[in-house]
Amino acid sequence: MATSYLLLPCSVLVAVLALLSSVDVAEGAIREYQFDVQMTNVTRLCSSKSIVTVNGQFPGPTVFATEGDLVVVRIVNHVPYNMSIHWHGVRQLRSGWADGPAYITQCPIQSGQSYVYKFTITGQRGTLWWHAHISWLRATVYGPIVILPKPGVPFPFPAPYKEVPVIFGEWWKADTEAVISQALQTGGGPNVSDAFTINGLPGPLYNCSAKDTFKLKVKPGKTYMLRIINAALNDELFFSIAGHPLTIVDVDAVYIKPITVDTLLITPGQTTNVLLTAKPAYPAATYYMLAAPYSTARPGTFDNTTVAGVLEYDDPASPSPAAFNKNLPVFKPTLPQVNDTSFVANYTAKLRSLATPEYPANVPLEVDRHFFFTVGLGTHPCAVNGTCQGPTNDTRFAASVNNVSFVLPTTALLQAHFTGRSNGVYSPNFPVAPLVPFNYTGTPPNNTNVSNGTKLVVIPYGTSVELVMQGTSILGIESHPLHLHGFNFFVVGQGFGNFDPAKDPAKYNLVDPVERNTVGVPAGGWVAIRFRADNPGVWFMHCHLEVHVSWGLKMAWVVLDGDRPNEKLLPPPSDLPKC
């Protein structure tokens, strides 16, 4: 029988950190981990398969740290696949060699090889996560990163009684590497997953899975912090717990003005910390927690199923805390419709930074460089004499930013940049706006073909950037969760239809915009973000729907070194993997 995550009281978290610490340094401690990447047999939905795991765990182990700590993780690759690990949302200030996306900041760790990731947690606290960043291996290779505030620094909200990670995932009965390989060969859409999971467990709404259910046991009147992570490959998710409002206090490891909701939306890549207050007295009932997809993809297919966990109350009258009354009524929440875009827009508009003296919203008020990127799907022509299963018989699916479908190089971009040998690896001429403007959210153009290339944007250190990302209606209107490595950014505006540079900037929120590392480009709309390029290196930006990444919806930024010593990228570590 599968077990769920332990609930960890805050005092236990601190004790865990003390045990993990080996050496105290000036700013914090050193947290050392060993990740053995290995094949492990796992059974879900009455079907067993061998999956890639870390230390035999699915989901993988939690990385605990305190703000200011140096995290050292030794990865040893025991599987037949190349591997790399990304520490999603960690700023990686001057430590781009530890960021992890394969062929962007490093060559992958080959089978039988190892690599040590070293990075300092600077100015961040909350929930982030780690995952494989090569092909579709993050389907099973992922886990939480829990960053506590510095000792003596309280949360800016009432401290919870206990904390628990809640990680959403996707489960395929098939081998996910075979799923994406077949899709790329045929040019068609990949087979969708068979189930969603909460902490690796599909739960009672799927066949043969009642015993594999995540259960959250609570005491009446106590407040719990759920550290929610969406690790699903291809689906944005609604989440709700019957009879229990959720107060959101933190997104992407940044505190926000608390808002209380019945349902939240979380895209792949995002994290959300919520406070859940149990009912004051034993309710003699149990409650489903449900997650189900948000999708406007038409005619595309997606996994239109629902994962359930169970919220159970400790019964004070029960002789044993382990006892549980199976005859209690079970309440289910009502989730929004699968394509409820207005719910999504209203929800995301409510998220605001704290913007206090302790936790300011340092949004750039002056902008040095403006960029306008279209993001969406497109096509490649079929190979000569080939047959394709794309949108039409003679095309294959593709995806692009400003009509450039990104081609991964065979040498890591950061290495090429650092050594000054970018010739033949990438070109620094990524278009700052679409070369051929069109009605982005109206009737699509007749020609939907996109170009291929490994093109990057190069900007000086310290540049303040405004980027408008415009969704397109080519092959359907979809939301695209865009993740920027190496930076947090402020979401200063969003809207539907085509961005209007004459009118829309007047409506920007420059006072308390939410700060994130992953944002949904609205279906049939646009989002405007601002950030300061204060981190030298090469930084990947991509859709966090893995199928769109595979089709090319990705690009990268080069931030040049600044003048001062602390504005320069550090040299690569001696054990950096070779291609």
Side-chain angles (χ1 to χ4, degrees), residues 314-345:
D314 271 342
D315 181 357
S318 167
S320 149
F324 176 64
N325 182 350
K326 290 189 167 56
N327 300 317
L328 296 175
V330 179
F331 292 99
K332 273 189 184 181
T334 302
L335 292 173
Q337 292 293 310
V338 68
N339 60 351
D340 193 342
T341 295
S342 63
F343 173 94
V344 172

Side-chain angles (χ1 to χ4, degrees), residues 323-401:
F324 176 64
N325 182 350
K326 290 189 167 56
N327 300 317
L328 296 175
V330 179
F331 292 99
K332 273 189 184 181
T334 302
L335 292 173
Q337 292 293 310
V338 68
N339 60 351
D340 193 342
T341 295
S342 63
F343 173 94
V344 172
N346 290 335
Y347 170 81
T348 53
K350 289 178 194 159
L351 303 176
R352 300 294 175 100
S353 286
L354 266 187
T356 61
E358 297 84 6
Y359 303 103
N362 292 321
V363 55
L365 301 179
E366 304 292 324
V367 174
D368 300 322
R369 295 285 306 276
H370 289 265
F371 296 89
F372 183 82
F373 289 178
T374 56
V375 295
L377 302 187
T379 55
H380 284 319
C382 214
V384 179
N385 299 327
T387 55
C388 289
Q389 295 171 11
T392 60
N393 287 338
D394 57 349
T395 62
R396 50 197 302 119
F397 276 108
S400 69
V401 181

Side-chain angles (χ1 to χ4, degrees), residues 67-68 91 93 120-125 150 253-254 488 515:
E67 183 187 340
R91 282 291 318 272
L93 287 163
T120 301
I121 307 285
T122 305
Q124 294 182 280
R125 77 294 302 164
K150 288 181 176 178
V254 183
N488 281 354
E515 186 180 346

